[in-house]
Amino acid sequence: MNEKLKIKISIADRVYPLTVDLSQEEGLRSASKKIDAMIKQFEENYAVRDKQDVLAMCALQFASQVEQKQVDSSIDSKDLERLKKINDLVLDYLEKK
């Protein structure tokens, strides 16, 4: 049985009460800290005054990181598949000799 925990997460100076599995607490707290750090970075480096714009930029940044990991993973699996095929061809050739 998953134990539920009531926590409060702060993002962009707003508090969000959540009920989460105990196993999710650390990840959520870490994510909120990363979001706040990214907000601060965007506000310092760009002339952004609207929190909604900053939050949209953060969402885009995180989403693009997830998408890039999927693309990289897809490339890695394609490379692995090619290497397996080459290995099979080499083994077939060596067996015939």
Side-chain angles (χ1 to χ4, degrees):
M1 185 166 97
N2 289 340
E3 192 174 333
K4 297 291 185 180
L5 185 65
K6 292 185 181 214
I7 62 173
K8 292 181 180 178
I9 297 292
S10 176
I11 299 173
D13 301 324
R14 283 189 155 180
V15 176
Y16 298 91
L18 302 170
T19 301
V20 301
D21 290 336
L22 186 60
S23 62
Q24 294 177 305
E25 179 188 13
E26 185 178 348
L28 287 167
R29 291 194 188 281
S30 175
S32 73
K33 286 179 184 176
K34 287 180 181 180
I35 291 168
D36 279 336
M38 192 177 291
I39 288 170
K40 184 177 178 183
Q41 183 181 15
F42 280 130
E43 287 175 337
E44 289 174 355
N45 295 326
Y46 303 100
V48 181
R49 291 193 174 96
D50 187 5
K51 284 284 188 198
Q52 185 170 344
D53 290 340
V54 175
L55 289 169
M57 292 166 71
C58 289
L60 178 61
Q61 183 81 10
F62 280 114
S64 68
Q65 289 171 359
V66 170
E67 290 298 318
Q68 189 60 49
K69 284 181 184 177
Q70 289 177 346
V71 167
D72 292 346
S73 175
S74 174
I75 291 170
D76 290 344
S77 65
K78 287 178 185 175
D79 289 343
L80 183 59
E81 187 118 359
R82 282 188 198 145
L83 287 173
K84 285 180 182 178
K85 286 180 182 179
I86 292 170
N87 187 50
D88 290 344
L89 288 170
V90 170
L91 289 175
D92 285 347
Y93 176 78
L94 291 174
E95 288 175 0
K96 291 178 183 177
K97 279 203 146 206

